[in-house]
Amino acid sequence: MTGRGCRVAVGPANNKGPERQGFLLDLVTGADGEGGSLQKLADGAARWISTTAGAPVECAAVLHRQRCCPSIAGSTPEAASVAAAEDEHADGPAALGSALAAPAVVNVGGSRWQAYRRRLLERGFGSALAVPLELQAGSAGAVIFLGPPNFGFNARVVHEASWFAGVASQSLKLALDVHGVIRAGDNLKQVLESRTSIDVACGVLMAQNRCSYSEAFGKLAGTSRNRNLKVRSVADSILKAMPSGAPGTRFEPPAIA
């Protein structure tokens, strides 16, 4: 999804354009929720950086959100496995989420992150580059680029990865906002459907027992407590027992004359 004046980075066809300001990644179209957007990000990052690096670089994307389990996606299962193990053991450059303030390179040499480096080798990678994502307050993330054996991330590739992470940050923030709106709409629809079922069931009870709405709702609530069921479930059971079955509910915007 793009705003006016934005272009979509869809692949590695041209990483050297003179004017790249305004790029956004489409992380919404075809994405099944936030996990789908994260997967599109990992796939796009791998394609983009592989062109700059001149080698097959894989990518993992990690998203940490308050009161939520971390979300992880990878351009390959091995890439996702590296990120998942890093999060589990908390011993890699991107394990701490928001604590990663700048790009971190893990090449063959060096004594830091030894356990992490061993896991890279076990999964067929020779180096890693973790770049933080700048997201909304309460969220943190990173893209982790994984190079093949005997490959090292040089300054040019690190610079390109940092630029891409900036694009990815804005794109992912937009995608998370869109998914939030969709989720809120779905929740509202569920509330409206639940309310409608309860109201219709109360109408049935009012007709059967010649009682008020308050009395009918009290009967539903009492049955709900006695059977340890939700009021919506009790209402649905009443509607399903009707000779014509439960009436359907549809929510459509009002017609404009």
Side-chain angles (χ1 to χ4, degrees):
M1 178 174 291
T2 62
R4 183 178 298 176
C6 294
R7 293 175 292 166
V8 181
V10 295
N14 181 10
N15 289 14
K16 301 178 181 180
E19 178 55 63
R20 300 191 298 183
Q21 188 174 7
F23 268 79
L24 281 179
L25 295 162
D26 182 358
L27 302 181
V28 177
T29 303
D32 184 13
E34 296 172 358
S37 290
L38 207 63
Q39 183 63 57
K40 289 172 71 70
L41 171 56
D43 292 340
R47 292 194 301 268
W48 188 271
I49 295 300
S50 292
T51 297
T52 300
V57 176
E58 303 299 340
C59 180
V62 182
L63 174 64
H64 294 265
R65 308 190 77 181
Q66 289 182 346
R67 297 182 294 277
C68 295
C69 295
S71 297
I72 297 172
S75 56
T76 63
E78 291 77 15
S81 175
V82 168
E86 178 180 5
D87 192 74
E88 176 184 356
H89 296 284
D91 61 353
L96 299 181
S98 59
L100 180 64
V105 177
V106 181
N107 283 326
V108 176
S111 59
R112 193 179 183 186
W113 296 310
Q114 291 185 0
Y116 177 73
R117 186 178 290 106
R118 284 196 297 270
R119 289 198 300 274
L120 289 179
L121 295 174
E122 290 170 358
R123 290 165 173 80
F125 301 110
S127 55
L129 166 62
V131 187
L133 296 173
E134 297 181 6
L135 304 175
Q136 298 98 329
S139 300
V143 286
I144 307 166
F145 301 96
L146 301 163
N150 302 318
F151 175 85
F153 287 97
N154 58 34
R156 184 173 66 89
V157 177
V158 172
H159 177 77
E160 183 72 11
S162 299
W163 173 84
F164 186 91
V167 173
S169 296
Q170 297 303 315
S171 303
L172 186 57
K173 283 193 289 187
L174 175 61
L176 294 178
D177 286 343
V178 171
H179 290 308
V181 171
I182 294 173
R183 186 164 55 248
D186 290 343
N187 290 340
L188 177 60
K189 181 180 179 181
Q190 291 177 1
V191 170
L192 292 174
E193 289 177 344
S194 177
R195 187 71 237 182
T196 299
S197 295
I198 293 171
D199 285 345
V200 174
C202 283
V204 172
L205 293 177
M206 291 167 65
Q208 291 176 344
N209 298 280
R210 298 182 182 277
C211 62
S212 67
Y213 180 91
S214 296
E215 291 171 328
F217 184 81
K219 292 179 182 294
L220 284 181
T223 303
S224 170
R225 289 191 298 270
N226 293 335
R227 297 183 182 179
N228 195 27
L229 296 171
K230 294 182 178 180
V231 175
R232 165 74 186 272
S233 298
V234 177
D236 287 342
S237 66
I238 292 174
L239 299 181
K240 289 178 181 178
M242 294 175 63
S244 59
T249 57
R250 295 179 61 186
F251 301 98
E252 297 180 354
I256 300 177

